[in-house]
Amino acid sequence: MTMLKLSARNIRASVGRLVLTILAVTAGVGFVTGSFILADSLSDTFSGIFESAASQTDASVQLAGLEFGEDDQTLSDSVVAALEELPETARVTPIVTITDQFTPFVILDAAGEEVKPRGPPILTFSWDGREVESAIALAEGRSPAALDEVVINTEYAVAADVAVGDQVNFLTPDGQQTFTLVGTVDFPVSAGAFFVLFDFESAQTLYGKEGLVDTVELAAAPGVSAEELIAAAERVVPSEAEVINQAEVIEQSLEDFNQFIGIFRNVLLAFAGIALFVSLFIIYNTFAILVNQRIQQIGMLRAIGATGRQIRFSILAEAALVGLIGAVLGLAAGFGVAFLIKAAFQAAGGFPETGNVITTTTVLVAFLVGVGATVLSALGPAFLASRVSPVAAMRNEAGGDRGQHRRIIGGLVCLAVGLVLLGLGLFLGGQQTSVLLIELAVGAILTFVGVALLSVLFAGPIVNFIGRAEVLGTSLLVLGASLLVFMFTVGDGLPDGVVSWVTFPIKVAVSTIAILTGLSILISKSRGSGFGLGGSAAGLEGQLAKRNAGRSPQRTAATATALTIGVALVATVGTVGESLKASFTDSLERGVQADLFIYDEEGQGSFSGDLADRLEGVAGLAELSRFRANELRLADGDVVNMFAYETGTGESVIDLGIVAGSLEGTADNGMLVFVDEAEERGLLVGDSLVVDFPDLQSETLTVVGLFEDNSVLGVPFIIDLDLYEQHISNDDDVFVGAAIEEGTSVESVKAAVVAVTAEFSGVTAQDNEEFLNAQEGQIDGLITLINFMLGFALFTAFLGVVNTIVLSVVERTREIGLLRAVGTTRAQMRAVIRWEAVIVCLFGALVGIVLGVLFAWAAVTAIPDGIISRMALPYETVIFAILVAALAGVVAAALPARRAARLNVLDAISTS
Amino acid sequence: MTETIVSSTLAARAETAIKIYGHGDTEVHALRGVTVGFERGQFTAIMGPSGSGKSTLMHCMAGLDRLTSGETYIGDTTLSQLSDKNLTLLRREKVGFIFQSYNLIPTLTAKENITLPLDLAGSDGDQAWIDEVITTTGLGDRVSHRPNELSGGQQQRVAVARALASRPEIIFGDEPTGNLDSRTSAEILDFMRRAVRELGQTIVMVTHDPVSASYSDRVLFLTDGQIVDEMSNPTPETVFDKMKTLGD
């Protein structure tokens, strides 16, 4: 009990020192609970809607699920009349829809431009005007009733600037058509999607589904049970249809959705895990420092009879209490995190309006993670504390480098195991990519821990080097200047897009500050004066700062660790991303031959073969190649994706990069296989394999070539278009490439092509450069999103830096008092702490970048060449990261520096 | 109380205690075969110049540190044969400590600091005895204050009271007045002497101040890890003269 009381009192007494640690726990827990809250809220909102939507329905008639190869079947709307005649039905609602997102109905504005949502699709289906609570409600006007009437959702009306009563021009699968907007509806969870609704009969006509129905919703007559209704319905529906009950309707709606939520949650949790990993280091550091500061107290407790177990217990109890507080705050922070992520997704495209759902699981996880992580991190320091010799109480100083040997041995072991794992992953062939990546991840974590523990050994010399005025000044100057150079040469130059408008001025400011500071240090160094920007690093303050940072490598290493993790993560992601982009660009530039590309950029769907037919007539087009996609079933039952194109002309559009065999024979029941796929399935050129086509006919195909450039198509198998047409009647293309006649200008031909594509909603025509930019832009977007997620880990890392600097100032109270006593001014004192922080942060950033690039190299090597073939360094990001780290040092030191400067000299000296 | 004075058994003793720090060239012989015993109910001072081994002797006798060879006893218990855990329990039950820098827990009140050894052992202790000890400190209602609200002398009185609280076999003091001015020192030493005379305690203290030593019943002189002399009923002058001959 005493020890518990002591733990509680210790926390209260050192609450200032623990605040940042608690914040670190809060950040980690907050991210984890935020992920749960967001996923649960999404899940809850959607199940609510699906349940609500199905609440008025007792059963549903639809086509039975399709097996591979089964032809798309249709359900005749004669079933509707049959169902209506049943005495068991009170309501029979037929619905038709277009499930393919790429042939929607799009509003054209006055200028003839398509009005589309950013990211989410346009959905269209028939609506009988029935409102369903929390799913659909009429906002204005009435429901559609005639062929020329339409209803859209309020968001779409606002975006297209149309009002009820207006004549609205639509692009439809049958070309342009005008409808009267008779009403608007609200969908509480539209997720940014736009909706276009017609009455049932009109929709049948407009969708080209005359006499057909997709789903029939049934409500039972009073006194009729769902079972009776289903039994009655089953008697009248045709054999290809099935009748399912309400629960199955909900289940079917939720199935795909829950899978998506699961992935979404796991991705968020992966990033949360990274943030938590950073928190673990911070907690460990704090407790290691606290134990060191209390060594005399612990020694005294041991001397007067506290057992090692009691000491250990008191430290762990303190950790558990810190974890508990952090968990409670983290739960609250979780709502904030959920809000931020939601806002980010909303800005990037769309995200449904959801409530905030907190489940028992979330609360349990928060406490488990908060208390668990804190206690786990405090284990090491707690064990060290329990080994404090009672004689320590008699000494009048805080403990020195205790446990140094153990730390170095532990570091060597971690580093060795980590490097072996990395090596195994890299050089031991024949492993699955997933196993390999886990091997690399564990290897990277162990290597990191190893280096963090061992950095005590090299922190001193490196810090002494960085801390030299001429080195510090020159590096700041050079780094600042080269950031500017990179931004305007290698980089994108002036900003285009929201993200770069935010980062651009920041980068310019950071580089300017670095250049000015570097110059000021160098100038004051050459003048031999201590004058400079905020107490120059060239003066006495810089000397003191350097010695401080170099004197206790252990403290320096501990402070730097948090930042090292953050920078290492950014460097890893940045380098992998840059390599991905470089490989992708290489492969695209090599592979993409055509002058014009016609495809559905946003929906990535297919479009009618009519488009290509009509392009045949466009003047100036030399060659046209259609690409179609479908599935094949292999002998082992695997259903795989397949592309088909006209061999002979297709090569002028896309160079596949044949690495074995040749294109010859493709037209003669040949098949091209992606190298990685061939490796995985053990396929060689010349192998024959039997495949099933969707019409369930088998063909024996021969592997004629292996290709390596897959950045445009992204499929494992390619066959000839003739063979495709023999088995598949659907003539939709996913992609059309065109070469123009020599001597004609791309612009004029493109204009002619666009005139045709404009009639096909969703389809874009791009020239070679536009196409490359669009493809690369997708990768940039991905990297930006990942960096945003890493931001949480970086924020935690920053807390860690502030934390250790605060603690080290507290630890050195007496020494600071001495400096002040012999005449150091407050401004000088602040400069000492500030420069020390800058030096330590630079050290952390350097180690982080070296590790990050090493990890990225490992990842790049491990990832198949088809995805990443070469390594590229993101120079701009790397330099920016180093400079930001230095700046983070200045910011992090602000508070501790103030504290140090304000210390009462006499009190500080008498502190023991 | 008369009982303890009559008893002639020793509260603690050491037999040919040898303590060597380091190895090879850096070897330091802190104790070179010290044999000594401390009578129950006596106030003993150990004196000697810096590096004479007086602190080492005390640490080893109190079970804070282990000897290289030889043996130390608290009562009849042989310390070298105790595990770390049993050594801790022995300290908790039979040994009290007074440190130079008070070493009070700043977050606990004076009273909580005094009863800390009992709380650690999970026992209530002898309530009447604790009240008596607290009364003797003369802190009055200041016992519910935190250490930083007390003067140096008051803090050290709390530290002495803490050593007394579990009514140990023997109390060791490491320069207990080293941080105090002469008037406060006198007050603490007087308090310690009363604990021996009136409460029947056994105290051994290490000091290099002849005035402090003069409060004790017996002074042992240590030089180069060996006991070179001892003196009963010392005065500051006799101790000072003796120290001069030892070449401090």
Side-chain angles (χ1 to χ4, degrees):
Chain A
M1 212 48 228
T2 321
M3 295 318 273
L4 209 56
K5 182 163 70 186
L6 194 58
S7 304
R9 295 266 177 91
N10 270 336
I11 288 185
R12 220 155 66 196
S14 48
V15 102
R17 298 174 213 187
L18 286 171
V19 156
L20 288 155
T21 310
I22 292 173
L23 269 183
V25 181
T26 306
V29 173
F31 204 160
V32 172
T33 49
S35 309
F36 271 92
I37 290 174
L38 204 55
D40 288 338
S41 307
L42 267 182
S43 179
D44 188 71
T45 308
F46 278 86
S47 350
I49 287 159
F50 292 138
E51 269 165 39
S52 167
S55 65
Q56 302 179 356
T57 302
D58 297 307
S60 194
V61 178
Q62 61 183 44
L63 281 171
L66 290 179
E67 293 292 308
F68 170 80
E70 255 183 346
D71 242 345
D72 284 1
Q73 284 176 320
T74 51
L75 184 58
S76 161
D77 64 1
S78 60
V79 74
V80 178
L83 288 165
E84 273 170 345
E85 274 166 30
L86 290 174
E88 284 87 354
T89 56
R91 178 175 58 81
V92 176
T93 310
I95 297 171
V96 278
T97 180
I98 299 185
T99 45
D100 299 339
Q101 292 173 10
F102 39 84
T103 45
F105 288 69
V106 193
I107 295 179
L108 297 173
D109 63 15
E113 294 285 325
E114 297 176 11
V115 183
K116 294 168 125 188
R118 279 181 306 153
I122 296 178
L123 302 174
T124 181
F125 45 86
S126 68
W127 182 48
D128 62 353
R130 200 165 38 90
E131 296 193 338
V132 178
E133 195 198 336
S134 80
I136 181 170
L138 196 63
E140 213 183 311
R142 57 176 175 84
S143 56
L147 196 54
D148 62 346
E149 291 180 357
V150 70
V151 161
I152 59 177
N153 61 329
T154 313
E155 282 161 285
Y156 201 2
V158 171
D161 194 22
V162 292
V164 172
D166 285 359
Q167 294 294 306
V168 183
N169 203 11
F170 274 86
L171 181 62
T172 76
D174 297 325
Q176 287 193 21
Q177 228 173 316
T178 304
F179 296 89
T180 310
L181 185 65
V182 296
T184 53
V185 288
D186 282 332
F187 291 84
V189 279
S190 64
F194 289 167
F195 294 82
V196 179
L197 311 180
F198 304 98
D199 69 290
F200 176 65
E201 285 79 16
S202 307
Q204 278 182 313
T205 312
L206 292 166
Y207 299 167
K209 292 190 173 182
E210 285 92 350
L212 301 177
V213 66
D214 291 315
T215 309
V216 185
E217 288 179 6
L218 304 176
V224 176
S225 75
E227 288 74 30
E228 287 163 349
L229 175 71
I230 292 170
E234 272 172 348
R235 284 196 302 271
V236 299
V237 301
S239 61
E240 65 270 22
E242 61 178 359
V243 186
I244 56 174
N245 65 26
Q246 188 196 11
E248 285 168 327
V249 171
I250 298 171
E251 199 180 306
Q252 283 195 355
S253 328
L254 276 177
E255 202 170 296
D256 291 344
F257 184 71
N258 279 340
Q259 204 177 351
F260 160 76
I261 297 257
I263 295 170
F264 182 69
R265 188 197 306 254
N266 286 344
V267 168
L268 287 183
L269 283 179
F271 284 103
I274 293 173
L276 207 60
F277 183 61
V278 178
S279 305
L280 288 181
F281 268 86
I282 297 174
I283 299 162
Y284 169 82
N285 265 342
T286 309
F287 278 93
I289 293 172
L290 281 183
V291 164
N292 212 31
Q293 284 173 353
R294 279 195 215 136
I295 235 154
Q296 212 178 347
Q297 191 190 92
I298 295 168
M300 184 277 291
L301 284 170
R302 293 282 287 130
I304 66 169
T307 59
R309 224 164 88 179
Q310 281 175 315
I311 301 285
R312 206 153 57 225
F313 173 78
S314 89
I315 305 277
L316 290 180
E318 198 173 332
L321 281 174
V322 165
L324 208 62
I325 300 170
V328 171
L329 294 176
L331 262 177
F335 288 101
V337 171
F339 175 81
L340 275 181
I341 297 178
K342 228 176 350 186
F345 275 102
Q346 252 151 11
F351 203 83
E353 277 305 317
T354 63
N356 282 313
V357 174
I358 189 147
T359 61
T360 327
T361 318
T362 311
V363 176
L364 277 179
V365 166
F367 283 105
L368 215 69
V369 167
V371 177
T374 319
V375 170
L376 195 74
S377 319
L379 270 182
F383 268 91
L384 273 183
S386 68
R387 293 217 187 84
V388 165
S389 138
V391 185
M394 317 288 179
R395 300 205 191 99
N396 238 342
E397 80 273 14
D401 286 353
R402 292 154 14 75
Q404 174 95 317
H405 291 291
R406 211 169 294 125
R407 193 173 297 122
I408 289 173
I409 291 167
L412 283 172
V413 170
C414 283
L415 186 63
V417 176
L419 287 177
V420 165
L421 274 177
L422 283 179
L424 274 182
L426 293 184
F427 304 114
L428 198 73
Q431 299 175 89
Q432 277 190 318
T433 305
S434 54
V435 176
L436 207 138
L437 285 176
I438 290 172
E439 236 168 52
L440 293 183
V442 175
I445 291 175
L446 283 176
T447 308
F448 186 87
V449 174
V451 170
L453 289 171
L454 290 177
S455 59
V456 178
L457 296 179
F458 54 83
I462 295 184
V463 156
N464 274 326
F465 178 74
I466 302 175
R468 288 164 68 172
E470 59 273 24
V471 176
L472 191 59
T474 317
S475 0
L476 285 177
L477 186 62
V478 170
L479 286 173
S482 40
L483 179 60
L484 280 181
V485 170
F486 273 114
M487 281 172 68
F488 286 100
T489 56
V490 185
D492 303 328
L494 282 169
D496 57 343
V498 186
V499 177
S500 50
W501 267 118
V502 176
T503 52
F504 183 81
I506 297 178
K507 284 185 179 174
V508 172
V510 166
S511 50
T512 314
I513 294 173
I515 292 172
L516 289 180
T517 315
L519 271 180
S520 113
I521 293 173
L522 290 179
I523 291 171
S524 40
K525 171 76 184 171
S526 65
R527 278 207 202 133
S529 74
F531 174 78
L533 215 68
S536 175
L540 172 72
E541 302 87 350
Q543 287 305 306
L544 276 173
K546 186 186 82 180
R547 299 231 176 108
N548 274 340
R551 194 190 51 189
S552 168
Q554 197 188 328
R555 192 171 54 212
T556 300
T559 313
T561 305
L563 200 71
T564 305
I565 304 179
V567 174
L569 284 171
V570 172
T572 309
V573 171
T575 309
V576 171
E578 188 76 13
S579 305
L580 179 66
K581 199 173 149 187
S583 312
F584 193 71
T585 310
D586 278 4
S587 148
L588 269 180
E589 280 171 0
R590 213 175 30 236
V592 172
Q593 304 288 325
D595 300 309
L596 288 173
F597 292 86
I598 295 107
Y599 70 114
D600 175 11
E601 187 186 351
E602 278 163 44
Q604 305 285 333
S606 59
F607 44 88
S608 163
D610 297 348
L611 198 159
D613 292 345
R614 289 189 42 196
L615 286 178
E616 301 277 7
V618 172
L621 279 185
E623 209 143 24
L624 206 60
S625 187
R626 305 152 192 255
F627 288 77
R628 289 182 189 166
N630 214 303
E631 292 174 337
L632 291 176
R633 187 165 60 194
L634 303 182
D636 60 5
D638 282 2
V639 176
V640 297
N641 289 320
M642 156 271 280
F643 249 98
Y645 71 88
E646 294 159 69
T647 44
T649 61
E651 290 78 39
S652 64
V653 175
I654 283 165
D655 181 351
L656 292 171
I658 297 291
V659 287
S662 69
L663 291 165
E664 217 166 301
T666 318
D668 186 19
N669 267 20
M671 174 187 237
L672 301 170
V673 186
F674 180 48
V675 274
D676 292 352
E677 185 77 16
E679 203 171 298
E680 206 157 291
R681 293 186 182 270
L683 291 174
L684 297 170
V685 173
D687 286 358
S688 287
L689 60 167
V690 179
V691 300
D692 295 333
F693 278 80
D695 61 355
L696 295 186
Q697 300 290 310
S698 294
E699 290 275 0
T700 306
L701 300 181
T702 310
V703 179
V704 294
L706 304 183
F707 63 96
E708 65 166 0
D709 274 352
N710 208 0
S711 47
V712 180
L713 300 182
V715 283
F717 298 100
I718 297 174
I719 60 166
D720 187 68
L721 193 61
D722 282 341
L723 185 63
Y724 181 97
E725 285 176 331
Q726 283 169 31
H727 293 281
I728 299 160
S729 55
N730 185 321
D731 72 343
D732 284 355
D733 294 324
V734 288
F735 184 83
V736 174
I740 61 164
E741 275 171 16
E742 269 185 60
T744 39
S745 89
V746 177
E747 281 90 70
S748 63
V749 180
K750 187 185 157 197
V753 169
V754 167
V756 177
T757 57
E759 292 171 37
F760 294 82
S761 114
V763 182
T764 338
Q766 290 176 335
D767 65 26
N768 196 302
E769 199 186 329
E770 286 170 337
F771 181 71
L772 290 180
N773 285 341
Q775 301 293 308
E776 283 165 24
Q778 289 177 358
I779 293 192
D780 281 340
L782 184 70
I783 293 173
T784 306
L785 196 63
I786 291 177
N787 276 332
F788 173 78
M789 295 299 200
L790 281 181
F792 287 96
L794 276 181
F795 172 71
T796 318
F798 176 73
L799 281 183
V801 176
V802 183
N803 183 39
T804 28
I805 296 175
V806 168
L807 289 176
S808 86
V809 166
V810 172
E811 201 173 30
R812 281 180 295 168
T813 299
R814 186 191 177 88
E815 185 186 312
I816 290 165
L818 268 173
L819 277 173
R820 295 269 292 117
V822 298
T824 316
T825 66
R826 289 196 167 157
Q828 281 175 320
M829 204 58 240
R830 278 197 296 271
V832 171
I833 305 288
R834 183 165 55 235
W835 282 113
E836 182 182 340
V838 169
I839 294 169
V840 170
C841 284
L842 278 175
F843 167 72
L846 282 180
V847 178
I849 280 170
V850 170
L851 283 177
V853 171
L854 175 78
F855 296 157
W857 174 71
V860 165
T861 314
I863 294 170
D865 277 357
I867 302 168
I868 297 183
S869 55
R870 74 176 173 97
M871 178 140 163
L873 281 182
Y875 295 103
E876 201 180 312
T877 310
V878 165
I879 296 172
F880 186 56
I882 297 177
L883 290 180
V884 166
L887 211 61
V890 175
V891 177
L895 213 78
R898 224 170 106 88
R899 185 188 189 277
R902 290 201 163 180
L903 275 178
N904 179 302
V905 179
L906 286 176
D907 286 353
I909 294 179
S910 62
T911 305
S912 59
Chain B
M1 269 178 266
T2 38
E3 192 185 66
T4 42
I5 292 167
V6 169
S7 164
S8 64
T9 45
L10 297 170
R13 63 197 164 93
E15 276 173 13
T16 53
I18 292 175
K19 177 75 182 178
I20 301 167
Y21 291 109
H23 302 282
D25 290 345
T26 58
E27 218 169 71
V28 175
H29 293 256
L31 296 177
R32 301 167 186 268
V34 175
T35 300
V36 68
F38 299 111
E39 295 264 349
R40 285 225 165 89
Q42 233 187 18
F43 188 1
T44 312
I46 303 176
M47 291 206 72
S50 300
S52 59
K54 55 189 190 300
S55 285
T56 306
L57 176 64
M58 195 195 74
H59 292 162
C60 292
M61 295 212 60
L64 293 172
D65 206 348
R66 287 186 189 274
L67 287 173
T68 309
S69 76
E71 192 55 81
T72 52
Y73 303 85
I74 298 285
D76 297 324
T77 314
T78 317
L79 298 193
S80 69
Q81 278 162 14
L82 294 180
S83 65
D84 183 65
K85 166 140 185 149
N86 286 328
L87 211 52
T88 303
L89 294 182
L90 174 104
R91 284 199 303 268
R92 185 192 272 177
E93 284 155 17
K94 299 200 166 158
V95 185
F97 288 99
I98 307 165
F99 306 95
Q100 181 177 0
S101 48
Y102 328 143
N103 264 340
L104 300 178
I105 305 272
T107 54
L108 299 179
T109 64
K111 183 158 195 269
E112 284 169 335
N113 265 292
I114 292 172
T115 57
L116 185 60
L118 296 167
D119 291 337
L120 282 173
S123 83
D124 289 337
D126 179 344
Q127 202 52 50
W129 167 256
I130 292 166
D131 289 343
E132 191 178 351
V133 167
I134 290 175
T135 313
T136 323
T137 61
L139 280 176
D141 53 7
R142 296 191 71 82
V143 287
S144 54
H145 287 244
R146 297 276 170 89
N148 61 1
E149 296 162 335
L150 302 175
S151 72
Q154 286 171 326
Q155 288 188 48
Q156 193 62 315
R157 268 186 278 161
V158 172
V160 176
R162 178 178 66 191
L164 292 168
S166 57
R167 214 199 287 243
E169 194 99 347
I170 186 164
I171 295 171
F172 291 99
D174 186 4
E175 305 265 10
T177 56
N179 274 356
L180 301 172
D181 60 67
S182 58
R183 218 194 51 162
T184 321
S185 290
E187 182 192 316
I188 291 295
L189 288 162
D190 198 51
F191 181 50
M192 288 167 71
R193 188 159 63 183
R194 274 198 293 135
V196 173
R197 299 265 158 85
E198 294 167 22
L199 305 176
Q201 293 297 299
T202 310
I203 298 183
V204 176
M205 106 183 141
V206 164
T207 181
H208 60 256
D209 171 28
V211 180
S212 297
S214 70
Y215 281 80
S216 68
D217 300 320
R218 178 167 83 130
V219 184
L220 296 173
F221 295 94
L222 229 72
T223 310
D224 290 335
Q226 283 173 313
I227 293 182
V228 290
D229 205 348
E230 68 168 273
M231 181 187 288
S232 293
N233 303 315
T235 66
E237 293 72 28
T238 54
V239 176
F240 187 68
D241 290 342
K242 186 74 212 168
M243 288 299 286
K244 273 199 292 195
T245 66
L246 294 175
D248 187 11

